[in-house]
Amino acid sequence: MELKKDINAVSIDMLLIVHSEKRRAAQGTHSDLQADPGALLQRCGGFQGVGNGVRRWQKLEGNNLHGNLAEKQHLQQPQVITSYDNQGTQLTVEVHPRDAMPQLLKKFSLAKRLQGDKNGNTRPRQPGGKDAHAYPWDRSGLKSMPLDLRQFEKLDTYASQVTAKSGLDELVSDLLQEAHSDLERVRAIWIWICHHIEYDMAAAQEKDRQAFKPTDILRTQKTNCDGYAGLFERMCRIAGVQCMTVPGYSKGFGYQTGQSFSGEFDHAWNAVYLEGRWHLVDSTWGSGLVDTTTSKFTFLYNEFYFLTHPALFIEDHFPDNKNWQLLKPPQSLRQFENNMYHKSEFYNKGMLSAHPETSVIRTVNGKATVTIESCAPTLFMFMLNGKQEHGLLSFRKNGMKLEVYPPTMGTHKLQIFAKGNSDIYSSVLEYTLKCNYVDMGVQLPAELHQPVGPSWFSEQMGITKPSHPDPLIHTSDGRCSISLGVEDGISVLASLHGDDGPITEETQRRYIFQLHREKRVELKVQLPHAGKFALKIFVKKRQEPGNYVFVFNYLLCCANTKVNWPVFPESFGNWGQDNELLEPLSGVLPANRNVPFKLKLHGIAKVLVKGQDTWPLTLNHEGYWEGSCSTAGCQEVYVMVLENANHNFYSYILKYKVNAQ
């Protein structure tokens, strides 16, 4: 039979009422429906109130499906199970006490999710095989249909500026003035909701709040996720577009990496029917975000959740009916819980994949490694327990590699951020690290900033063809020489940083001596002792004001405990970038010795070495200034130059200290 109350009511093809004394038979039918692969929808009785920010959807637990409910529970409230077969036919069975009115009869006019649209469609087609997308993601795009977002620029501007003057019908009518297809109608509605409806944090925290009515949402312009979904569905129906509200679990506000999901559903979103297929949208998450520290909502439009590719949507949305995953094959709840959660910004900023693909990483020999593949060069940073420490982050042309060494055993929080095309770093991944061993020999310098090693970024900053492409440099005698290609007009500055020993802010650059040969810079490094050191590289355009900019650093490692190199001589501003010092390289000279000097200086008329007395250097045929100086009776030795033979003013270019006798 067919029962209709009004034009907006549900059309029922068959109503089956089972009296209480037939409960056992009904229970058998109930279990069979759940065991049937086609019986996928486990919703029971609609929304159940507000908890944790949304109206909760009640769902049957596993023991209910196997007939284990107590007799008293069956007598007190009706049990409802709804199922769809592969052709989209809906079957709903209700078990209730003999004297109670069937809930289905009460709700004929309230079944908004199945009401007719303007085109007379009274029952939207349920998702089937032709709606399904392949899983995992095939990298075909972020959307479930080919889209050029530039085609929406005019419509987006118009829809975002429309104001709600009176009722919902008039608002939709105004929005559709610039929309000429179902896709554009849906887009206009989406843009308006995302730019005008605020997430109601106060209402979300009230456990027993009633359902949001569209009229109330328009008046207050606030709602929770169910209100967003309900409003979006209602506006689509008015516009003549089939739309459904989909309840389920989500990895949203308050989600903890690796958590399990059970009980009531915590979120709701929409499926919309366009161009012969179902597509997914979430206007709640498209409108903005909630600050985890202040619990305040901020409008921040997120394009990602409009017609999202189902293989990406499943990462943070698990529907009550697996058909609404629109995936082939569909994912289980356990897979949803265990799979890596890539935030929307992961894809918005051009990331393609990350490894490991699980949210919990167990360290191996005290180390965890994460790699990310991106479609273009991208800047990254990381935080371990809120600090940029205990890791080696290196940029790759299309991605990055991160090695993390937790300082203590236990559980640690690892966050990875990416910059993309914007000026702001956004969180794209979070991992939980489980560490059961700490390698004390891998303690990294606190001043080791990110990234380590040369990369596409250092090339972009003017440093090319490094002699050491790897970020780690091991030295057995505590000395090393690093050569870097430098573009015209670029100045390079380097400093050495360790966690202990004689390195101070004054001497950070004194363990490095910088030489310039044509278009290359050579950095001679002498370590003051064994250990690990960060060699930081900075650059600056010579003709531009401002400070040097950090580009990358090397990690220098020396295990030789006999290493005890002194600083290089101190250089002054008149030490030219093209000058070259061959000897002496040690900044501390022995007392009471004749010390040989050999330098290459350009555009110099005379060179003197001044201790207690003054000794001139002579220019040889190879272009080097040579000579010697006695360190007897002095504590410091200076190298001085005369640039113009017609003047008598000498400039200091180098300074040495003399060991005490």
Side-chain angles (χ1 to χ4, degrees):
M1 65 179 175
E2 185 174 292
L3 298 177
K4 290 185 178 180
K5 185 169 182 179
D6 56 41
I7 60 173
N8 291 325
V10 180
S11 175
I12 296 181
D13 298 308
M14 181 180 72
L15 179 65
L16 175 63
I17 300 177
V18 182
H19 293 289
S20 56
E21 60 261 34
K22 302 294 186 180
R23 188 184 307 111
R24 293 180 182 275
Q27 282 181 310
T29 304
H30 191 171
S31 297
D32 292 340
L33 285 171
Q34 289 303 306
D36 184 349
L40 301 171
L41 190 62
Q42 300 180 7
R43 188 169 69 239
C44 175
F47 290 110
Q48 194 188 5
V50 173
N52 292 334
V54 295
R55 266 190 301 163
R56 301 285 188 161
W57 290 74
Q58 182 183 5
K59 90 168 189 177
L60 295 176
E61 299 294 346
N63 59 348
N64 296 356
L65 301 181
H66 293 83
N68 294 329
L69 281 177
E71 187 83 7
K72 181 177 179 180
Q73 289 176 302
H74 280 286
L75 291 174
Q76 288 180 341
Q77 61 181 16
Q79 302 295 312
V80 177
I81 184 69
T82 302
S83 174
Y84 300 95
D85 65 13
N86 292 333
Q87 286 73 41
T89 302
Q90 177 179 326
L91 174 64
T92 299
V93 176
E94 177 181 323
V95 182
H96 63 89
R98 175 192 291 240
D99 298 330
M101 177 178 289
Q103 297 298 308
L104 288 172
L105 296 179
K106 289 182 179 180
K107 296 181 178 180
F108 280 167
S109 61
L110 300 178
K112 301 295 184 184
R113 292 166 187 80
L114 293 177
Q115 71 182 26
D117 58 30
K118 284 189 173 181
N119 296 328
N121 300 317
T122 57
R123 187 167 50 196
R125 177 181 68 78
Q126 297 302 311
K130 74 174 186 176
D131 300 293
H133 294 252
Y135 185 88
W137 183 43
D138 58 6
R139 301 186 180 185
S140 58
L142 303 184
K143 303 297 186 182
S144 52
M145 67 163 61
L147 286 183
D148 181 357
L149 295 178
R150 291 173 296 183
Q151 71 183 22
F152 296 131
E153 289 178 356
K154 181 179 178 181
L155 179 62
D156 289 355
T157 300
Y158 170 79
S160 64
Q161 295 174 354
V162 170
T163 57
K165 300 173 184 176
S166 56
L168 204 58
D169 288 338
E170 182 181 358
L171 171 61
V172 173
S173 177
D174 289 344
L175 287 171
L176 300 191
Q177 294 300 313
E178 297 294 330
H180 307 293
S181 65
D182 280 354
L183 173 59
E184 291 185 349
R185 294 181 187 101
V186 170
R187 179 71 179 189
I189 293 169
W190 155 269
I191 288 293
W192 188 88
I193 291 177
C194 289
H195 287 80
H196 290 83
I197 304 303
E198 178 180 346
Y199 190 81
D200 192 341
M201 286 298 298
Q205 296 169 359
E206 296 178 12
K207 294 184 178 181
D208 299 323
R209 180 160 182 126
Q210 297 299 313
F212 283 90
K213 296 179 180 179
T215 53
D216 293 335
I217 298 175
L218 288 187
R219 177 176 53 82
T220 64
Q221 299 210 339
K222 290 184 178 183
T223 187
N224 60 13
C225 66
D226 174 51
Y228 277 100
L231 179 63
F232 185 87
E233 178 184 339
R234 178 63 178 153
M235 293 176 73
C236 284
R237 295 297 183 94
I238 293 173
V241 180
Q242 292 187 16
C243 182
M244 298 282 283
T245 293
V246 181
Y249 295 125
S250 69
K251 296 179 180 179
F253 179 72
Y255 169 72
Q256 298 295 320
T257 303
Q259 80 174 57
S260 299
F261 294 87
S262 62
E264 300 170 341
F265 296 117
D266 62 3
H267 194 43
W269 55 94
N270 295 100
V272 63
Y273 194 73
L274 295 170
E275 300 182 8
R277 297 181 78 175
W278 285 104
H279 304 268
L280 302 170
V281 301
D282 187 342
S283 55
T284 308
W285 291 7
S287 63
L289 49 83
V290 175
D291 190 306
T292 55
T293 56
T294 63
S295 295
K296 290 184 178 180
F297 174 84
T298 300
F299 278 107
L300 185 63
Y301 177 71
N302 192 342
E303 173 64 37
F304 181 77
Y305 291 105
F306 178 73
L307 308 185
T308 315
H309 194 295
L312 304 181
F313 203 77
I314 191 62
E315 292 200 18
D316 46 20
H317 292 74
F318 187 84
D320 66 336
N321 179 347
K322 68 180 181 182
N323 283 355
W324 286 116
Q325 294 181 24
L326 307 183
L327 290 177
K328 184 179 182 180
Q331 300 295 288
S332 68
L333 180 59
R334 179 61 61 85
Q335 288 174 306
F336 174 73
E337 293 171 342
N338 294 337
N339 283 349
M340 185 61 209
Y341 170 38
H342 304 96
K343 299 184 178 183
S344 62
E345 285 299 283
F346 180 89
Y347 298 106
N348 285 339
K349 291 187 178 294
M351 309 299 107
L352 296 173
S353 65
H355 184 82
E357 297 179 348
T358 57
S359 57
V360 179
I361 305 175
R362 297 188 180 278
T363 60
V364 177
N365 297 326
K367 180 177 78 171
T369 302
V370 176
T371 59
I372 292 180
E373 181 185 359
S374 61
C375 60
T378 304
L379 294 175
F380 294 89
M381 61 174 285
F382 78 93
M383 285 190 177
L384 183 66
N385 302 324
K387 297 181 179 180
Q388 297 183 55
E389 297 178 353
H390 309 294
L392 299 175
L393 173 65
S394 56
F395 295 160
R396 296 176 172 180
K397 189 171 184 179
N398 289 305
M400 70 87 169
K401 179 181 179 182
L402 172 63
E403 295 178 346
V404 181
Y405 302 87
T408 60
M409 291 188 293
T411 301
H412 304 266
K413 181 179 180 180
L414 174 63
Q415 297 170 285
I416 298 176
F417 304 82
K419 195 171 186 180
N421 294 325
S422 70
D423 294 329
I424 301 174
Y425 282 92
S426 300
S427 176
V428 295
L429 284 178
E430 286 189 12
Y431 287 97
T432 297
L433 304 187
K434 301 284 188 179
C435 180
N436 57 8
Y437 169 77
V438 176
D439 186 350
M440 301 306 295
V442 192
Q443 291 183 351
L444 302 176
E447 288 292 322
L448 184 74
H449 294 164
Q450 311 303 321
V452 293
S455 67
W456 63 266
F457 177 65
S458 55
E459 281 191 27
Q460 183 176 297
M461 299 298 288
I463 296 178
T464 62
K465 299 178 181 179
S467 60
H468 294 68
D470 193 87
L472 270 68
I473 298 177
H474 293 273
T475 169
S476 58
D477 64 356
R479 295 186 296 180
C480 66
S481 179
I482 300 167
S483 176
L484 305 171
V486 181
E487 293 183 356
D488 289 340
I490 298 295
S491 294
V492 176
L493 183 68
S495 60
L496 189 70
H497 304 261
D499 283 342
D500 52 19
I503 294 186
T504 65
E505 187 172 350
E506 292 183 1
T507 60
Q508 286 171 355
R509 292 192 292 273
R510 295 285 305 283
Y511 288 95
I512 307 164
F513 199 81
Q514 191 165 316
L515 303 174
H516 294 258
R517 293 189 176 93
E518 295 181 351
K519 293 185 177 182
R520 297 192 69 81
V521 169
E522 183 180 357
L523 303 175
K524 293 182 178 293
V525 182
Q526 296 181 165
L527 301 181
H529 55 80
K532 293 182 175 64
F533 298 84
L535 177 63
K536 293 187 177 183
I537 309 296
F538 303 82
V539 300
K540 169 184 184 303
K541 291 186 178 180
R542 294 176 191 167
Q543 304 302 323
E544 294 184 3
N547 299 323
Y548 280 82
V549 177
F550 170 74
V551 180
F552 71 94
N553 40 215
Y554 284 106
L555 177 62
L556 308 185
C557 305
C558 179
N560 186 351
T561 56
K562 295 181 180 180
V563 166
N564 183 24
W565 290 104
V567 294
F568 286 102
E570 183 178 357
S571 60
F572 298 101
N574 287 335
W575 174 262
Q577 288 203 354
D578 295 328
N579 293 345
E580 183 179 349
L581 174 66
L582 270 66
E583 60 177 344
L585 288 175
S586 173
V588 181
L589 304 179
N592 301 317
R593 297 278 184 90
N594 280 325
V595 179
F597 281 77
K598 187 175 183 179
L599 310 89
K600 178 173 282 189
L601 307 173
H602 299 276
I604 299 300
K606 291 184 180 180
V607 181
L608 301 177
V609 179
K610 184 180 186 315
Q612 186 174 17
D613 298 314
T614 301
W615 289 266
L617 301 184
T618 59
L619 184 64
N620 67 18
H621 66 280
E622 295 178 343
Y624 289 95
W625 294 89
E626 291 184 301
S628 63
C629 164
S630 172
T631 60
C634 62
Q635 296 180 339
E636 296 175 337
V637 172
Y638 293 89
V639 177
M640 305 183 298
V641 298
L642 180 67
E643 297 183 17
N644 191 328
N646 296 322
H647 296 163
N648 294 320
F649 179 76
Y650 282 81
S651 301
Y652 291 104
I653 60 172
L654 294 176
K655 175 184 176 181
Y656 294 84
K657 288 187 177 296
V658 177
N659 269 330
Q661 298 183 8

